[in-house]
């Protein structure tokens, strides 16, 4: 896989530990980063799954509504161009979505991307739900992802346990879910250097396969 995320910034944290943090970006930072996708409204569940044992390592949500955000409870990915408020990441352009996936996929983990098309109103309810969750404690990624989902009309049956796999199993029962599998061959110990910033310039691979400055 090309290094899509070659020059982003991330914390060197153990993936399965789901480290916790509490951040509150300014209104101006959130406004400036706002990204509106032309894709239909949707809710995506990301599940990081171990290789070869298949254990669940992390759960997160990406919501595409009036803007696109990622709810990354107790997650460790960050970037200077991505403002965060209590585990909600704003400004998720296609390139930053790739950065996020690439950060988690390596020799010992793959990433399941399960997307459910929803109405615009449901997508907005999902954004409000994750914004209302507050900061997550360590290892509570699946618990708080399930809690956020249960705040959304139609998702009240989401499980509340600590297992990302059980949460994904439930999500896959919803009609209309489309799944993608992301795998990478990076050594398990190098994810902290794959994503970094250099000279304040964010770069990513374009369709021509070359690195370009990106937003």
């Amino acid at each position: 896989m090309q290094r899509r995320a070659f020059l982003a910034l991330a914390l060197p944290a153990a993936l399965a530990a789901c480290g916790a943090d509490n951040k509150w970006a300014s209104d101006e930072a959130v406004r400036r980063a706002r990204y509106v996708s032309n894709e239909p409204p949707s809710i995506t569940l990301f599940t990081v799954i171990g290789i070869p044992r298949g254990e669940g390592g992390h759960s997160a949500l990406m919501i595409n509504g009036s803007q696109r955000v990622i709810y990354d409870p107790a997650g460790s990915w960050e970037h200077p161009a991505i403002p965060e408020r209590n585990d909600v990441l704003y400004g998720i352009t296609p390139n930053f979505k790739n950065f996020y996936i690439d950060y988690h996929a390596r020799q010992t983990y793959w990433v399941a991307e399960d997307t459910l098309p929803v109405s615009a109103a449901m997508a907005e309810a999902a954004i409000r739900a994750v914004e209302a969750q507050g900061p997550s404690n360590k290892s509570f990624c699946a618990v708080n992802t399930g809690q956020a989902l249960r705040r959304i009309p139609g998702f009240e049956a989401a499980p509340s346990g600590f297992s990302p796999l059980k949460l994904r199993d439930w999500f896959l029962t919803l009609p209309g879910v489309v799944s993608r599998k992301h795998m990478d061959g990076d050594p398990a110990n190098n994810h902290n250097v794959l994503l970094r910033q250099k000279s304040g310039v964010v770069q990513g691979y374009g369709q021509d396969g070359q690195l370009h400055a990106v937003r």
Side-chain angles (χ1 to χ4, degrees):
M1 175 186 291
Q2 289 180 319
R3 290 274 52 80
R4 293 185 304 257
F6 183 66
L7 298 173
L9 175 68
L11 291 177
L15 175 65
C18 291
D21 208 347
N22 186 350
K23 300 180 181 179
W24 191 262
S26 68
D27 290 346
E28 172 59 22
V30 171
R31 183 200 64 77
R32 187 171 58 247
R34 180 187 182 95
Y35 171 74
V36 181
S37 170
N38 58 6
E39 297 176 4
S42 63
I43 296 173
T44 296
L45 176 66
F46 288 124
T47 309
V48 182
I49 301 173
I51 302 170
R53 291 179 298 170
E55 73 277 14
H58 189 55
S59 296
L61 292 174
M62 183 174 69
I63 304 161
N64 189 48
S66 60
Q67 61 179 315
R68 187 156 68 188
V69 305
I70 286 179
Y71 175 56
D72 192 33
S76 59
W77 184 82
E78 66 173 13
H79 189 280
I82 298 295
E84 177 179 347
R85 284 184 171 180
N86 289 342
D87 299 328
V88 180
L89 309 172
Y90 297 86
I92 306 301
T93 66
N95 214 70
F96 281 123
K97 173 192 171 184
N98 288 338
F99 288 175
Y100 181 85
I101 293 171
D102 196 56
Y103 173 69
H104 293 89
R106 61 189 70 107
Q107 284 182 342
T108 49
Y109 288 96
W110 64 278
V111 178
E113 177 186 353
D114 301 309
T115 299
L116 179 67
V118 297
S119 66
M122 190 173 290
E124 289 312 296
I127 293 175
R128 302 289 85 80
V130 298
E131 290 177 330
Q133 269 299 112
S136 299
N137 292 325
K138 184 177 180 178
S139 299
F140 272 65
C141 52
V143 171
N144 287 3
T145 299
Q147 287 180 350
L149 285 168
R150 290 197 301 277
R151 295 174 183 266
I152 307 167
F155 291 81
E156 294 89 351
S160 58
F162 283 86
S163 172
L165 296 180
K166 289 182 179 179
L167 181 61
R168 182 179 186 234
D169 287 344
W170 170 83
F171 196 85
L172 290 175
T173 66
L174 302 174
V177 172
V178 177
S179 299
R180 296 182 62 189
K181 184 175 185 177
H182 301 275
M183 301 190 73
D184 203 338
D186 298 323
N189 63 353
N190 75 351
H191 66 285
N192 59 317
V193 297
L194 292 179
L195 307 177
R196 54 187 157 183
Q197 177 196 24
K198 183 176 180 181
S199 302
V201 177
V202 181
Q203 291 188 320
Y205 284 97
Q207 293 182 349
D208 58 2
Q210 302 300 312
L211 280 169
H212 303 277
V214 296
R215 175 177 178 277

